[in-house]
Amino acid sequence: MRKSFFFFLILSISHLTFAQNLLYQVEINDHRAGSLKQSVEIDQNTHTFSSLDFQILTLNDTLQYFSEVHFVESDSGYLKSVEWTQVFKDTLNFTLTFSKDTLAYGPEKIRKLSIKRLDTIGASICYPTYSPELNQTIEVSRELVRFSIEKAQKLRVVKETIGAKSAINKFDNQFYLVESKSPSPFGEIRLIRTNKTAPPQFFEPNYFEQENILSNIRFPDPNGINTIKLKIEGVDSLSSATFKHYNQKITLRDSNTLILIVEQKKEPYLDSNTTNRSLSKLLWSGTKARVILDSLGIDTLQIHNKIERIKSFSKIQSHPNLALLELSSVAGIPARMVCGYVYNQWFWSPRNWVDIAINGYWENIDLTTEILPNSALRIAIHKSKSGGPFNDFVLKPIPKITSLQVQSFTLRGKKHAVSSQVLPYYFENPVYENEGLGIRMNIPDGFTITNDGTQSPSDLFLSLENDYKEKINCFQLSTSGQPLTTDLVRVKIQEFVGDKDINISQGKKFKFWYGHKGNRGAIVIPQGGSYILITITHEDPEFIILVLTRKNLTLKY
């Protein structure tokens, strides 16, 4: 179960005495993930404190875990009480106490037993102790499997087994833990005794710093893109196999660059005979996930309705995508986690999303963004296996890609080549050209570019201003799959102008709408699945509208 390995991890190192304080570095799959602190105080009874704190980072979700165990022993070495607190992003909080009559050896008694008995290879010991996970007494067996000489110190190598789980621990002559290795849902957890722990490796800026990558073009209709051809740089640490996904094809590869073609198509789901099981086991145990599903009442629903209800619940959780993955898997719906880059308004943003198998195909779902899914604009780098271990996906270091440049794209079946020009560029008069949007605009006299839209992902792609603080802002907005009607255009223009009664006019040179009142005006230009909104704040907005639309603005699409 999800919590059992945490207790097992804490239990395996809680054999200390005489006001001893120890500090351990926690590593998961050889990545620094956090620290464990342990101390023992001898007063009227023995008090043992264990505090485990670690963090795991995916491309978009941060998993934070904290656990604290407080053992109080009697003079005879039996546990008098146990308090156990576990916090996972403030979603779990437990405090457990058991009866004084429960027979279980405490940490100090276990240590004394270990020193007394584990002195020759093959020696073993079995003793009862208390499990905060199960709230009952359990049996622990230890076997001395060999000795190890490290740094001129002779260490005992002990195999410790609790139920079906086992770990390999190294102890010094005083039987203080030096190192521990144990399995977990994330991969191998390793504890290394140290004087000072280092911060989690996933949060060091020089190790893991995935940022938005500026694209060389801004797509006119992201949802209408069928195919893109990309030149990717900074992939020296990636193998070609990384990009071998159903809709991705490498056409050229050298030491640091590859040419990748990504298509808009669905990947068929091939049903296998393997049992689909929970991938993460991070948010809830399987039992709790089942209780949540029962409360959602999905058993009698069709698969689409099941998924919609699970999505609605998952959206309000701390980690929506992980909740969706967990609940879908427990509900018997094949699911997997994918991470990579997604196109987002002139930028490629690092993201993870969930693939859900629906009607024989994998469907992309990302509950952390409103960006419409288009498989042609999603570059998959890592993909977990449905029903497989989650750790391979979560803990692999994600290679840093430095550049994603579009060489060509296919829009609604028509191919468009992209040059390597730098935007904006200038002729004798200031000119702004956005090849991706297919726009060329002569900048009106007196105006200069204050923002070319490359500062951060946003609807704004161009901002102009003159010495009088008069402004022209250009936005690219999605129609959300709806046709751009005159009524919708009227609402957009009226919202900016601030008057519901103004007249909306339509252009003659090409299809566009405009309206103005006072010092405000707006132009709306349809562009496939998106539209361009130009807002104007000027002493004479009608004049600026005429300047922009008569001969100074040309559109390709």
Side-chain angles (χ1 to χ4, degrees):
M1 294 192 305
R2 177 181 52 81
K3 300 189 289 293
S4 62
F5 91 94
F6 292 128
F7 171 67
F8 168 64
L9 177 63
I10 295 169
L11 179 65
S12 65
I13 58 175
S14 51
H15 318 318
L16 312 171
T17 187
F18 300 112
Q20 179 72 31
N21 296 295
L22 295 177
L23 183 63
Y24 296 87
Q25 181 75 57
V26 178
E27 291 188 355
I28 302 179
N29 280 9
D30 297 324
H31 296 274
R32 293 196 307 271
S35 62
L36 184 141
K37 301 176 183 178
Q38 191 166 65
S39 63
V40 175
E41 299 176 5
I42 302 294
D43 194 358
Q44 186 176 359
N45 299 302
T46 301
H47 301 264
T48 302
F49 300 88
S50 297
S51 176
L52 172 65
D53 187 5
F54 73 83
Q55 300 166 327
I56 297 176
L57 184 70
T58 66
L59 277 178
N60 197 51
D61 286 317
T62 302
L63 317 180
Q64 298 179 349
Y65 175 81
F66 173 78
S67 176
E68 185 174 82
V69 178
H70 179 197
F71 292 94
V72 179
E73 295 180 81
S74 66
D75 292 332
S76 58
Y78 291 100
L79 291 182
K80 187 176 181 180
S81 66
V82 173
E83 291 184 0
W84 176 53
T85 301
Q86 181 184 30
V87 179
F88 178 85
K89 195 69 175 183
D90 298 325
T91 59
L92 298 176
N93 195 326
F94 301 102
T95 301
L96 304 176
T97 305
F98 70 99
S99 169
K100 296 179 182 179
D101 298 329
T102 302
L103 294 178
Y105 290 123
E108 179 60 18
K109 186 69 172 180
I110 293 171
R111 177 182 172 275
K112 290 177 180 178
L113 286 171
S114 300
I115 293 174
K116 181 179 179 181
R117 298 285 298 277
L118 299 181
D119 51 3
T120 59
I121 293 178
S124 62
I125 184 173
C126 184
Y127 52 85
T129 189
Y130 178 72
S131 167
E133 155 70 18
L134 301 175
N135 197 19
Q136 66 183 29
T137 303
I138 60 171
E139 280 194 348
V140 176
S141 64
R142 278 180 159 183
E143 179 185 1
L144 181 61
V145 293
R146 66 179 186 275
F147 288 101
S148 173
I149 305 297
E150 298 179 17
K151 296 182 180 179
Q153 183 182 25
K154 187 177 181 181
L155 305 178
R156 290 179 172 90
V157 181
V158 176
K159 180 180 180 181
E160 183 171 273
T161 304
I162 302 177
K165 294 181 173 62
S166 62
I168 298 297
N169 302 328
K170 293 181 182 179
F171 296 91
D172 61 19
N173 289 332
Q174 299 300 316
F175 236 91
Y176 294 136
L177 185 72
V178 174
E179 183 179 343
S180 176
K181 294 181 181 180
S182 59
S184 78
F186 308 114
E188 183 182 73
I189 288 190
R190 185 181 179 207
L191 298 180
I192 305 171
R193 195 163 73 193
T194 180
N195 294 325
K196 182 180 180 181
T197 60
Q201 204 167 17
F202 307 103
F203 291 91
E204 290 184 0
N206 61 351
Y207 177 80
F208 193 103
E209 188 177 352
Q210 296 291 347
E211 298 178 347
N212 294 313
I213 300 176
L214 178 64
S215 175
N216 56 323
I217 70 166
R218 188 176 181 118
F219 288 111
D221 180 5
N223 222 36
I225 300 296
N226 309 114
T227 307
I228 60 169
K229 185 177 181 181
L230 288 163
K231 181 180 180 182
I232 302 178
E233 296 179 349
V235 292
D236 52 311
S237 58
L238 285 173
S239 66
S240 297
T242 301
F243 291 95
K244 287 184 179 178
H245 298 291
Y246 68 101
N247 66 334
Q248 298 176 184
K249 179 183 178 182
I250 296 175
T251 60
L252 177 66
R253 172 71 195 259
D254 59 31
S255 60
N256 192 53
T257 305
L258 62 81
I259 304 299
L260 184 71
I261 294 177
V262 188
E263 299 179 280
Q264 183 186 44
K265 64 179 182 179
K266 292 183 178 181
E267 179 183 7
Y269 168 69
L270 302 177
D271 195 4
S272 64
N273 295 324
T274 58
T275 303
N276 186 66
R277 67 180 187 272
S278 172
L279 290 169
S280 60
K281 295 185 179 179
L282 297 175
L283 296 175
W284 310 291
S285 65
T287 302
K288 184 171 182 181
R290 186 69 254 178
V291 170
I292 293 172
L293 291 171
D294 290 342
S295 69
L296 297 178
I298 68 170
D299 288 341
T300 59
L301 300 178
Q302 297 293 325
I303 185 166
H304 282 89
N305 294 329
K306 283 184 180 181
I307 293 173
E308 286 304 315
R309 195 161 291 186
I310 292 174
K311 284 168 59 178
S312 298
F313 176 83
S314 301
K315 276 184 178 180
I316 63 175
Q317 304 306 306
S318 299
H319 305 285
N321 284 342
L322 289 178
L324 174 64
L325 177 76
E326 182 78 5
L327 293 177
S328 299
S329 299
V330 174
I333 303 171
R336 66 189 183 190
M337 187 72 79
V338 186
C339 71
Y341 287 85
V342 176
Y343 175 79
N344 178 19
Q345 295 171 322
W346 213 330
F347 287 83
W348 293 94
S349 302
R351 303 204 66 81
N352 63 20
W353 61 91
V354 180
D355 280 354
I356 304 289
I358 306 175
N359 295 338
Y361 288 94
W362 289 107
E363 299 286 349
N364 305 145
I365 300 175
D366 185 354
L367 300 182
T368 64
T369 179
E370 298 300 322
I371 300 173
L372 294 175
N374 181 348
S375 56
L377 299 180
R378 289 175 178 264
I379 304 170
I381 295 179
H382 290 303
K383 188 180 295 182
S384 68
K385 295 181 180 179
S386 176
F390 191 62
N391 58 289
D392 287 344
F393 166 78
V394 175
L395 295 176
K396 280 185 177 179
I398 308 301
K400 187 180 179 72
I401 294 176
T402 57
S403 175
L404 284 167
Q405 299 293 303
V406 179
Q407 292 193 320
S408 64
F409 63 93
T410 304
L411 176 62
R412 291 186 290 276
K414 184 178 180 180
K415 186 176 180 180
H416 300 274
V418 178
S419 69
S420 59
Q421 67 185 30
V422 179
L423 303 178
Y425 70 90
Y426 299 90
F427 290 110
E428 295 179 1
N429 296 319
V431 173
Y432 172 85
E433 182 166 340
N434 188 316
E435 189 169 6
L437 293 179
I439 298 174
R440 187 175 183 275
M441 177 191 301
N442 290 347
I443 297 177
D445 291 340
F447 283 87
T448 58
I449 297 176
T450 58
N451 184 350
D452 63 358
T454 60
Q455 297 177 4
S456 62
S458 67
D459 296 328
L460 179 71
F461 67 86
L462 180 64
S463 183
L464 307 174
E465 189 172 322
N466 63 14
D467 294 338
Y468 302 100
K469 303 301 180 183
E470 295 172 326
K471 297 180 179 180
I472 301 173
N473 289 327
C474 303
F475 304 87
Q476 180 194 17
L477 302 168
S478 173
T479 62
S480 301
Q482 302 297 320
L484 193 64
T485 63
T486 302
D487 291 338
L488 178 60
V489 168
R490 181 178 290 107
V491 170
K492 293 297 180 182
I493 295 177
Q494 290 173 347
E495 283 178 354
F496 178 76
V497 174
D499 189 341
K500 295 182 179 180
D501 298 324
I502 66 168
N503 294 323
I504 305 299
S505 303
Q506 193 163 354
K508 297 179 180 179
K509 180 182 176 183
F510 51 84
K511 188 176 182 181
F512 71 95
W513 294 268
Y514 64 93
H516 57 86
K517 184 176 181 180
N519 68 339
R520 285 176 168 253
I523 307 171
V524 175
I525 306 169
Q527 194 184 52
S530 64
Y531 63 94
I532 296 172
L533 171 65
I534 302 176
T535 62
I536 302 162
T537 305
H538 191 269
E539 181 183 14
D540 190 354
E542 182 180 10
F543 170 74
I544 297 298
I545 291 173
L546 292 175
V547 168
L548 291 177
T549 58
R550 276 187 175 176
K551 61 179 180 178
N552 295 339
L553 179 65
T554 58
L555 297 175
K556 183 187 296 183
Y557 306 114

